[in-house]
Amino acid sequence: MYQKIALAIAFSPRMEALIAEAKRLIDLFGSELILIHVGLKTADLEAKLSEIITTYGLNTASVTTIWKEGKPAKMILKACEEENVDLLMLGALKKEGLLTYYLGSVARKVIRKAKCSVLTLIDPKIDPTKFSKVVINGTQLEVTPKVISQGLKFCQIEGATHVHIINEIKLYGLQMATAGEGSEDEVSNTRRKLVQEEIRYVQEILNGLDQSGLKINIKVTAGKWAVELVRYCESISADLLIMGDENGYTFIDRLFPHDLEEILSELPCNLLIVK
């Protein structure tokens, strides 16, 4: 699924845990590992990194390490393109402060602009465990069939048997307000019809996919889907949320947050962006 997995590293307290997480995933997917560090390359840092790589069972000869100087987000993105990376791993904060939100953290910039899929880990572990409770965004978007397909494949390889696909009823308030002009039965029938349409949308995608080994729960919500996704992930203590990419954000967009921006500002769990 991923031939090349890259990990952006900084010499921070979480670096060892991130490398341990990367080791688990490259073993799982049979991938090549590329480490990307933006900063000055020194003999001391090289020696320290080599020691950590060896400590976590990696062969230094089989790990490609890229050192770049410049703006972190720009250099990370450049390295991923040069190396044809399939999946980029990043450490991310669970909750960003106001200043970080408006200026844009490195992780946020990379997520928005990366051409490859991006996995952000909010709490990497020295002794990593597999993702067991996975939520996939099934809201009707152009990218959704790909998100569901890639999400199921990821879960099968990972061995995460329980998958929750969350779908939002589009324009629910408007449609129910219109139905509200009729009888109570008409309102009830409209609500049921809307739910059935969303379930049918997801089911039609699933019908063409391999679902072996997976228990899939389809849930339909009527609220703003970013809020509902976060709320649902928190309610089941999900450890991974899978969703698609949305392009074209500007500073003005962040003043009036889009759904992905809202989720990035307060991550409910680890996040995989499928591109």
Side-chain angles (χ1 to χ4, degrees), residues 4-8 32-36 80 85 87-90:
K4 291 187 176 182
I5 295 178
L7 171 66
E32 174 186 342
L33 178 61
I34 299 168
L35 300 179
I36 304 169
C80 287
V85 168
L87 176 68
L88 171 64
M89 296 177 62
L90 297 167

Side-chain angles (χ1 to χ4, degrees), residues 12-30:
S12 68
R14 296 204 301 173
M15 183 176 75
E16 290 193 35
L18 285 168
I19 289 177
E21 295 277 5
K23 169 65 164 57
R24 186 184 79 82
L25 289 185
I26 66 166
D27 287 347
L28 186 67
F29 291 100

Side-chain angles (χ1 to χ4, degrees), residues 193-211:
K193 180 181 177 183
L194 292 174
V195 171
Q196 289 173 344
E197 286 175 353
E198 295 305 323
I199 292 176
R200 187 181 306 115
Y201 168 77
V202 174
Q203 194 60 60
E204 286 177 354
I205 295 173
L206 291 174
N207 288 342
L209 301 175
D210 177 12
Q211 303 171 48

Side-chain angles (χ1 to χ4, degrees), residues 21-216:
E21 295 277 5
K23 169 65 164 57
R24 186 184 79 82
L25 289 185
I26 66 166
D27 287 347
L28 186 67
F29 291 100
S31 314
E32 174 186 342
L33 178 61
I34 299 168
L35 300 179
I36 304 169
H37 175 69
V38 181
L40 186 64
K41 180 180 179 180
T42 69
D44 286 345
L45 290 180
E46 279 191 289
K48 181 178 180 180
L49 182 58
S50 179
E51 181 181 349
I52 293 172
I53 288 173
T54 303
T55 298
Y56 289 94
L58 290 160
N59 185 342
T60 53
S62 64
V63 176
T64 300
T65 303
I66 297 173
W67 303 76
K68 286 186 177 290
E69 293 185 47
K71 294 182 178 180
K74 183 178 180 180
M75 292 298 103
I76 291 169
L77 292 168
K78 183 178 180 181
C80 287
E81 288 192 44
E82 290 174 345
E83 297 295 326
N84 295 314
V85 168
D86 302 302
L87 176 68
L88 171 64
M89 296 177 62
L90 297 167
L93 299 176
K94 183 177 178 63
K95 184 173 183 178
E96 295 181 348
L98 184 64
L99 182 63
T100 305
Y101 178 74
Y102 284 109
L103 294 181
S105 67
V106 172
R108 181 186 289 273
K109 290 177 182 177
V110 170
I111 288 169
R112 287 201 302 269
K113 296 181 179 180
K115 294 182 179 179
C116 62
S117 295
V118 182
L119 174 63
T120 60
L121 300 176
I122 60 174
D123 187 24
K125 306 288 190 198
I126 291 292
D127 296 311
T129 57
K130 72 177 185 179
F131 302 120
S132 59
K133 296 179 182 178
V134 180
V135 174
I136 299 176
N137 175 34
T139 298
Q140 293 193 39
L141 300 168
E142 185 178 345
V143 73
T144 297
K146 180 179 180 180
V147 172
I148 293 177
S149 175
Q150 292 289 302
L152 296 190
K153 187 175 180 180
F154 186 100
C155 290
Q156 286 172 322
I157 296 172
E158 173 74 319
T161 56
H162 289 78
V163 182
H164 305 260
I165 301 178
I166 310 300
N167 203 1
E168 173 209 10
I169 298 175
K170 294 288 187 181
L171 302 176
Y172 177 78
L174 177 60
Q175 296 188 70
M176 292 309 298
T178 301
E181 298 174 1
S183 67
E184 186 175 330
D185 284 344
E186 287 176 326
V187 172
S188 179
N189 287 336
T190 297
R191 183 182 294 110
R192 184 165 52 251
K193 180 181 177 183
L194 292 174
V195 171
Q196 289 173 344
E197 286 175 353
E198 295 305 323
I199 292 176
R200 187 181 306 115
Y201 168 77
V202 174
Q203 194 60 60
E204 286 177 354
I205 295 173
L206 291 174
N207 288 342
L209 301 175
D210 177 12
Q211 303 171 48
S212 57
L214 300 175
K215 294 181 180 179
I216 299 174

